[in-house]
C-alpha cells in the first residue's frame, strides 16, 4: 500500500517524502508544481502532476496507485494574499480537501492527515495556545483550514475516514537535501538569510509597535523534520483513535528581532533590515502548547534550538544559493 503525499514537491511535503522513504514506505506524490519543484521529488517516487481540486485527475491517481493514506500538504498558504484574494484560498484549500475526501469515499483509502495551521486560532487571548482555545481566524487562509477540519469531521462520521489535523506553527529549517525555495518567499528565516548574504534588499520588519517585549511579532518555529515525524506518529495514532487535532510547535516564542539576531549569530553576517507597516491579519503572538501531541502522539521534537534550526537552513541555502534552480 502507498501513502499519497499531496504537495510533495513543496517545502514541508518534500521533507515528508524523504522521511517516508527512510521508513521504508511506498510513496506517491501529487502536485501541480504551481509552487513546488520537480527537483524536490526523488526520481524513484511517482510524481502525478495535476490539480488536487480536479476530481477526474484525483480519481485516476487513486485508480492507478494502491493509496491507503493521504498526507495533504497541497494548499495556498500566504496569509497576505488571502486577505486580497480570499476566493483563491477557499477554492484551492477547501476544494482540495473536498475532492480528496469524496475520492477516498469511493475508494478504499480511509486515513487522512491534514496540514493545518496556527492561523485557525486567530489572535489568541493568551499563549501558549492549547487546542481547546477558541478558533477565530483573522484571515481567509486560517478560515479555509478550519473549514477543512469540519469537512474531515463529517466525512469521518459518515464514511469512516480516520483523520488527524496537525496545526503547525512556523515551519522552518532544512534537511541536507530539501529546503525552502518559495516564490515569492514570505518566510522570515530564508528572507533574513538572503538579506544577510546580499541576495535581496534589506529585510522589511512588518510592525514595530505590537504589544510584545520588543514590539515585533512573536512566532514559534518548528523544524520540518520534526513535523514529518509527527505525521508518522499520527498514522499510528489513527490505529487507536478515529480523529484528533494537535498543535505542532516548540512552545517557545521568538520575536522577529530575535530571529534576526540568531541569523547574525549563526551566519556571522549582519542582517540589514528596515521598518515597514504592519501586515493585515498578522496576530502579535502565536506560540504553541504541544502538550497534547507529546502526550497522545508520543511526539518529541528534537531540533528545538532556534540557532540549530537556522543553521540547517543556512547549510541548505549555501548548497543551493538559487534554490532548486541550481
Ligand atoms: N510553511 C509553514 O510555515 C506552514 C505553517 C502552517 C501550515 N502550513 C501548511 O503546510 C502545507 C505545506 O506548506 P509549505 O510551506 O510546504 O507550502 P509549499 O507552497 O512549499 O508547498 C505546497 C505544495 O502544494 C502544491 N499545490 C498547491 N496547490 C495545489 C493544487 N491545487 N493541486 C496540486 N498541488 C498544489 C504546490 O505546488 C506546492 O508544491 C500547506 O498546506 C500549508 O498551509 C505551512
Amino acid at each position: 500500500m502507498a501513502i499519497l503525499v499531496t504537495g510533495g514537491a513543496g517545502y514541508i511535503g518534500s521533507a515528508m517524502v524523504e522521511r517516508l522513504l527512510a521508513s521504508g514506505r511506498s510513496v506517491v506524490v501529487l502536485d501541480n508544481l504551481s509552487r513546488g519543484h520537480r527537483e524536490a521529488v526523488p526520481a524513484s517516487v511517482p510524481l502525478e502532476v495535476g490539480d488536487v481540486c480536479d476530481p477526474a485527475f484525483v480519481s485516476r491517481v487513486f485508480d492507478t496507485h494502491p493509496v491507503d493514506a493521504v498526507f495533504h500538504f497541497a494548499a495556498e498558504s500566504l496569509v497576505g494574499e488571502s486577505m486580497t484574494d480570499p476566493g483563491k484560498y477557499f477554492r484551492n484549500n477547501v476544494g482540495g480537501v473536498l475532492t480528496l475526501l469524496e475520492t477516498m469515499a469511493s475508494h478504499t483509502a480511509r486515513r487522512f492527515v491534514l496540514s493545518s495551521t496556527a492561523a485557525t486560532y486567530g489572535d489568541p487571548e493568551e499563549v501558549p495556545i492549547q487546542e481547546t482555545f477558541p478558533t477565530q481566524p483573522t484571515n481567509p487562509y486560517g478560515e479555509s483550514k478550519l473549514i477543512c477540519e469540519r469537512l474531515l469531521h463529517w466525512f469521518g462520521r459518515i464514511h469512516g475516514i480516520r483523520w488527524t489535523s496537525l496545526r503547525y506553527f512556523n515551519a522552518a529549517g532544512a534537511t541536507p537535501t530539501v529546503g525552502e525555495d518559495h516564490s515569492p518567499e514570505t518566510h522570515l528565516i530564508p528572507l533574513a538569510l538572503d538579506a544577510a548574504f546580499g541576495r535581496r534588499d534589506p529585510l522589511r520588519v512588518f510592525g514595530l509597535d505590537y504589544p510584545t517585549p520588543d514590539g515585533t511579532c512573536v512566532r514559534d518555529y518548528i523544524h520540518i523534520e520534526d513535523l514529518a515525524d509527527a505525521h508518522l506518529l499520527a498514522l499510528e495514532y489513527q490505529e487507536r483513535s478515529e480523529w484528533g487535532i494537535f498543535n505542532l510547535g516548540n512552545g517557545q516564542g521568538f520575536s522577529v528581532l530575535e530571529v534576526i539576531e540568531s541569523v547574525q549569530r549563526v551566519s556571522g553576517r549582519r542582517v540589514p533590515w528596515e521598518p515597514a507597516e504592519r501586515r493585515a491579519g498578522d496576530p502579535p503572538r502565536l506560540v504553541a502548547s504541544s502538550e497534547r501531541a507529546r502526550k497522545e502522539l508520543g511526539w518529541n521534537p528534537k531540533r528545538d534550538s532556534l540557532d540549530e534550526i537556522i543553521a540547517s537552513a543556512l547549510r541548505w541555502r549555501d548548497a543551493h544559493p538559487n534554490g532548486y534552480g541550481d
Side-chain angles (χ1 to χ4, degrees):
M1 296 307 276
I3 295 181
L4 178 66
V5 180
T6 75
Y11 173 44
I12 311 169
S14 57
M16 186 74 245
V17 170
E18 194 171 76
R19 182 73 181 81
L20 285 167
L21 293 178
S23 71
R25 319 260 174 153
S26 178
V27 185
V28 180
V29 168
L30 182 163
D31 200 299
N32 65 2
L33 302 178
S34 58
R35 297 197 190 270
H37 307 272
R38 191 179 285 275
E39 301 79 0
V41 181
S44 62
V45 172
L47 168 61
E48 297 285 358
V49 178
D51 196 317
V52 73
C53 303
D54 173 353
F57 166 67
V58 175
S59 198
R60 258 198 322 277
V61 171
F62 277 71
D63 290 342
T64 311
H65 303 278
V67 175
D68 70 338
V70 175
F71 286 174
H72 180 48
F73 294 88
E76 297 290 347
S77 53
L78 302 177
V79 168
E81 185 184 57
S82 82
M83 293 295 282
T84 55
D85 189 358
K88 182 176 180 182
Y89 283 71
F90 292 116
R91 203 166 42 248
N92 198 26
N93 296 0
V94 179
V97 169
L98 182 56
T99 306
L100 285 167
L101 290 175
E102 286 194 301
T103 310
M104 288 171 71
S106 62
H107 290 75
T108 52
R110 284 292 175 277
R111 293 195 285 167
F112 193 102
V113 181
L114 174 72
S115 297
S116 189
T117 168
T120 50
Y121 295 106
D123 186 355
E125 276 173 22
E126 53 176 313
V127 295
I129 301 169
Q130 296 172 27
E131 291 85 348
T132 47
F133 281 19
T135 44
Q136 295 164 334
T138 52
N139 51 63
Y141 166 58
E143 189 78 67
S144 72
K145 294 282 183 168
L146 201 53
I147 296 172
C148 293
E149 293 182 357
R150 297 308 299 162
L151 294 184
L152 286 166
H153 165 79
W154 287 111
F155 275 77
R157 275 185 63 172
I158 295 165
H159 291 293
I161 292 170
R162 294 189 169 225
W163 63 276
T164 313
S165 177
L166 300 177
R167 294 179 177 164
Y168 318 156
F169 283 59
N170 284 48
T175 79
T177 41
V178 304
E180 192 156 15
D181 180 11
H182 288 123
S183 182
E185 187 56 79
T186 59
H187 292 147
L188 177 58
I189 292 172
L191 288 175
L193 284 171
D194 276 358
F197 286 89
R199 284 193 287 258
R200 64 171 70 235
D201 293 339
L203 182 71
R204 296 166 71 212
V205 175
F206 298 107
L208 287 155
D209 56 352
Y210 282 99
T212 58
D214 65 21
T216 62
C217 283
V218 170
R219 295 289 181 268
D220 180 331
Y221 294 88
I222 181 76
H223 197 281
I224 52 172
E225 290 183 286
D226 285 321
L227 292 179
D229 287 347
H231 284 70
L232 288 183
L233 292 167
L235 269 197
E236 284 173 25
Y237 180 77
Q238 289 177 357
E239 306 285 343
R240 50 186 195 274
S241 193
E242 288 170 9
W243 66 277
I245 297 176
F246 300 95
N247 289 341
L248 298 180
N250 267 315
Q252 258 186 297
F254 294 97
S255 73
V256 175
L257 296 183
E258 285 173 325
V259 171
I260 290 175
E261 278 163 23
S262 173
V263 169
Q264 295 186 151
R265 235 181 352 260
V266 168
S267 69
R269 302 179 76 109
R270 200 179 69 80
V271 176
W273 65 272
E274 61 191 27
E277 290 294 306
R278 287 181 178 200
R279 288 185 304 196
D282 244 354
R285 291 200 301 165
L286 291 175
V287 180
S289 160
S290 298
E291 279 313 299
R292 182 186 281 181
R294 285 173 188 271
K295 267 200 205 114
E296 294 186 32
L297 298 181
W299 185 59
N300 184 21
K302 296 181 193 76
R303 302 133 191 114
D304 58 359
S305 124
L306 183 62
D307 283 11
E308 188 189 336
I309 291 173
I310 289 177
S312 72
L314 174 60
R315 280 193 294 275
W316 191 80
R317 203 68 187 154
D318 270 348
H320 306 83
N322 298 311
Y324 285 102
D326 281 352

